[in-house]
Amino acid sequence: QSALTQPASVSGSPGQSITISCTGTSSDVGTYNYVSWYQQYPGKAPKFIIYDVNRRPSGVSNRFSGSKSGNTASLTISGLQAEDEADYYCSSYTRNSTVVFGGGTKLTVL
Amino acid sequence: QVQLQQWGAGLLEPSETLSLTCGVSGASFSGYYWAWIRQPPGQGLEWIGDVNHNGTTNYNPSLKSRVTISVDTSKSQFSLQLTSVTAADTALYYCARPPLGRRSYMDVWGKGTTVTVSS
């Protein structure tokens, strides 16, 4: 299975909003509302911040939001803060009953 | 609070078999799926596969011919075996757990085990 496609890097200034895209196919993102997003700091395990496209687990800031259109899902972070600088990964359930991750996006807060 | 503690050999030679185990504490083992995910150095995450408490498995098609994930409910453990390893299998291997009744995302992660394949 092919990894979902994410931009390698994005950047923004504190207070701004950024959006990270995650493009899949009709076999994964396009068919299932089971897209998740993870935040990973260096040397740490990933932490899920969005599930089922746009649902936030308790404890995750409402500055994080998710959406989906067709085969592309998106993570938006509003009011950027220095602590948001991390790697972000999307994932999706697939038609093969597997899970596929994106290649990851490095967010730099300028 | 559920915790995942993982262990296994960290240095392998090409063609050997990778073997890792993940022990579960602080929560019920039954009813959940249990997953393995890896991350090569400086690269992204790759889902390897999962298993439920009944032993039903799902594998990444690209690894399916070399992977076995098994479960030992009596010990609240699950294991990963990957045969015929090469340098491309060098990675940080995580065990993880999706929420009850779900498979599509992981809400609990182990700390990871670094596996290096080198002659």
Side-chain angles (χ1 to χ4, degrees):
Chain A
Q1 59 193 16
S2 297
L4 306 176
T5 301
Q6 298 181 232
S9 63
V10 298
S11 62
S13 299
Q16 289 185 331
S17 295
I18 63 94
T19 296
I20 299 172
S21 62
C22 169
T23 301
T25 70
S26 58
S27 294
D28 38 65
V29 174
T31 293
Y32 298 98
N33 288 325
Y34 294 144
V35 176
S36 307
W37 289 90
Y38 298 84
Q39 177 188 61
Q40 185 181 35
Y41 292 112
K44 299 294 187 181
K47 169 192 171 185
F48 84 110
I49 56 174
I50 295 288
Y51 67 102
D52 294 353
V53 176
N54 56 14
R55 304 188 70 171
R56 254 188 333 271
S58 60
V60 172
S61 170
N62 59 9
R63 297 185 300 103
F64 294 90
S65 62
S67 62
K68 190 186 87 166
S69 178
N71 294 338
T72 298
S74 298
L75 172 71
T76 297
I77 308 174
S78 59
L80 265 182
Q81 300 179 1
E83 67 199 47
D84 299 330
E85 186 162 295
D87 294 326
Y88 292 85
Y89 294 91
C90 62
S91 75
S92 174
Y93 186 71
T94 82
R95 193 169 286 174
N96 293 327
S97 296
T98 63
V99 174
V100 62
F101 284 95
T105 298
K106 181 177 180 59
L107 169 62
T108 300
V109 180
L110 302 171
Chain B
Q1 183 176 350
V2 59
Q3 289 188 319
L4 305 181
Q5 184 175 1
Q6 46 185 116
W7 63 89
L11 180 61
L12 297 172
E13 294 189 357
S15 81
E16 291 187 326
T17 296
L18 178 157
S19 183
L20 299 175
T21 298
C22 186
V24 180
S25 61
S28 171
F29 192 77
S30 296
Y32 289 89
Y33 272 85
W34 305 92
W36 288 97
I37 293 150
R38 71 180 183 179
Q39 185 170 32
Q43 298 185 40
L45 302 168
E46 181 179 32
W47 185 84
I48 299 171
D50 62 17
V51 63
N52 71 2
H53 65 285
N54 290 325
T56 300
T57 53
N58 300 276
Y59 297 132
N60 184 325
S62 66
L63 298 170
K64 189 172 184 175
S65 63
R66 298 193 292 129
V67 172
T68 301
I69 298 177
S70 59
V71 63
D72 186 339
T73 56
S74 66
K75 296 181 179 180
S76 292
Q77 296 175 358
F78 62 107
S79 298
L80 167 69
Q81 287 199 316
L82 181 66
T83 62
S84 304
V85 297
T86 70
D89 296 310
T90 293
L92 180 59
Y93 286 75
Y94 291 104
C95 60
R97 190 208 72 179
L100 188 64
R102 302 297 303 269
R103 290 182 55 233
S104 60
Y105 68 98
M106 320 300 153
D107 64 345
V108 181
W109 294 69
K111 294 186 185 303
T113 299
T114 298
V115 176
T116 302
V117 180
S118 175
S119 55

